[in-house]
C-alpha cells in the first residue's frame, strides 16, 4: 500500500515537472504562473504545493535536470575529446526533443542574464567539460599550450550562443549542423594536426546511432 502511494506520488511529481517545463519553455519564468503549470500538468494546486514549495523550486529542479546528459560520463572508461563532441550533440538532441531540457536551458539563460545572475549552472557545465578535456590533454590529444579550463569555458559559451541563435533562426532545426561547425573551427586550434583525423565533429558512430543522426557527407576536421 505504501509503495503504491509512493509510486502515485512520483507519477504526480513527474507530471508537475512536465507541465512546468511546457509552461517555462513557452513563456519563460516571469511569464509563467502556477495556474499555467497545474493546467498543463492536470493536477491541483494542492498537489503541486505538496511536491514543490514555489515556482522557484520548480525552476531550480528543471535547471538541475539539464545536466542529465552528463550522467553517463563516469561509466566511460577513458573519456576524451570525442566524448566532449558527443556530449554537445546529445545536448543538442535533447534541446530539440525534450521539453524539460529546453525549459531548463531557457531558465538557466534567464537566471544568468538579469539583475542577480546565478553562475552555478554554467560553472557546473564548465567543470564537466574540463573533466573531459584534462585526460584528453594528458593523452596528447589536446595541445599542451592549451589551458583546459579556458577551453572548457569557451566551449560552454560557444555552445550556449549557438543554440540560442539556432533557436531564433530555425527553431533549432540546424542545431546539429551548427555544432559540427563549432568543432570544425575549434579542433584545429586545440588538437595537434596529426591527431585531428581521430575525431569526428559529427559525433561518433555510437552517438549518431543512439540519436538517430545520419553522418554528413564530409567532415573537414575529421578528414584532415
Amino acid at each position: 500500500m505504501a509503495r503504491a502511494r509512493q509510486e502515485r506520488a512520483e507519477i504526480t511529481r513527474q507530471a508537475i515537472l512536465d507541465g512546468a517545463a511546457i509552461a517555462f519553455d513557452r513563456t519563460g519564468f516571469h511569464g509563467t504562473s502556477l495556474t499555467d503549470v497545474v493546467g498543463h500538468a492536470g493536477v491541483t494546486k494542492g498537489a503541486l504545493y505538496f511536491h514543490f514549495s514555489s515556482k522557484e523550486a520548480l525552476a531550480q529542479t528543471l535547471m538541475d535536470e539539464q545536466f542529465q546528459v552528463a550522467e553517463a560520463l563516469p561509466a566511460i572508461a577513458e573519456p576524451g575529446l570525442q566524448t566532449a563532441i558527443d556530449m554537445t550533440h546529445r545536448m543538442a538532441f535533447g534541446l530539440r526533443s525534450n521539453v524539460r531540457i529546453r525549459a531548463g536551458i531557457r531558465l538557466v539563460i534567464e537566471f544568468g542574464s538579469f539583475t542577480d545572475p546565478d553562475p552555478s549552472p554554467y560553472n557546473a557545465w564548465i567543470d564537466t567539460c574540463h573533466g573531459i578535456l584534462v585526460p584528453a590533454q594528458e593523452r596528447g590529444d589536446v595541445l599542451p599550450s592549451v589551458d583546459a579550463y579556458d577551453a572548457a569555458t569557451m566551449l560552454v559559451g560557444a555552445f550556449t550562443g549557438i543554440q540560442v541563435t539556432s533557436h531564433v533562426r530555425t527553431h533549432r532545426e540546424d542545431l546539429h549542423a551548427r555544432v559540427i561547425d563549432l568543432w570544425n573551427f575549434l579542433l584545429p586550434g586545440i588538437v595537434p594536426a596529426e591527431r585531428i583525423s581521430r575525431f569526428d565533429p559529427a559525433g561518433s558512430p555510437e552517438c549518431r546511432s543512439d540519436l538517430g543522426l545520419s553522418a554528413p557527407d564530409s567532415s573537414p576536421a575529421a578528414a584532415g
Side-chain angles (χ1 to χ4, degrees):
M1 199 65 147
R3 182 175 179 180
R5 284 197 299 270
Q6 290 174 351
E7 290 175 351
R8 287 195 298 270
E10 181 58 22
I11 290 171
T12 300
R13 181 178 182 276
Q14 294 303 319
I16 293 168
L17 287 171
D18 287 340
I22 293 169
F24 287 138
D25 182 45
R26 292 180 179 177
T27 58
F29 181 79
H30 294 291
T32 293
S33 69
L34 291 179
T35 299
D36 297 327
V37 173
V38 298
H40 287 298
V43 301
T44 65
K45 277 195 176 180
L48 186 152
Y49 281 118
F50 177 80
H51 292 278
F52 298 96
S53 60
S54 64
K55 186 169 74 168
E56 288 78 6
L58 270 168
Q60 188 61 57
T61 300
L62 289 170
M63 286 191 289
D64 291 342
E65 278 192 358
Q66 69 163 299
F67 299 106
Q68 64 182 289
V69 75
E71 288 179 356
L73 291 181
I76 298 174
E78 295 184 356
L81 201 50
Q82 191 64 53
T83 309
I85 296 170
D86 290 354
M87 190 165 58
T88 55
H89 281 289
R90 291 184 187 279
M91 180 61 79
F93 182 82
L95 282 165
R96 296 188 63 204
S97 62
N98 188 324
V99 69
R100 279 162 71 155
I101 293 178
R102 286 198 302 275
I105 292 292
R106 173 167 183 163
L107 290 166
V108 165
I109 292 172
E110 286 189 16
F111 277 62
S113 303
F114 298 116
T115 55
D116 188 22
D118 178 11
S120 57
Y122 291 100
N123 290 339
W125 184 241
I126 289 167
D127 288 342
T128 296
C129 293
H130 179 246
I132 296 171
L133 293 179
V134 167
Q137 189 170 46
E138 291 172 348
R139 290 198 295 273
D141 290 335
V142 174
L143 291 165
S145 59
V146 171
D147 185 298
Y149 192 83
D150 287 347
T153 303
M154 187 281 297
L155 176 58
V156 170
F159 181 87
T160 300
I162 284 170
Q163 75 87 9
V164 170
T165 304
S166 176
H167 170 61
V168 172
R169 294 182 66 244
T170 70
H171 299 287
R172 299 192 179 97
E173 287 296 321
D174 70 341
L175 185 51
H176 286 288
R178 301 290 75 80
V179 171
I180 292 171
D181 289 343
L182 167 64
W183 287 105
N184 277 326
F185 284 111
L186 178 59
L187 290 178
I190 68 171
V191 178
E194 68 276 9
R195 292 180 180 245
I196 289 180
S197 62
R198 300 183 179 191
F199 308 107
D200 192 340
S204 66
E206 294 79 10
C207 175
R208 292 196 299 268
S209 176
D210 287 346
L211 304 182
L213 301 175
S214 58
D217 293 335
S218 61
S219 189

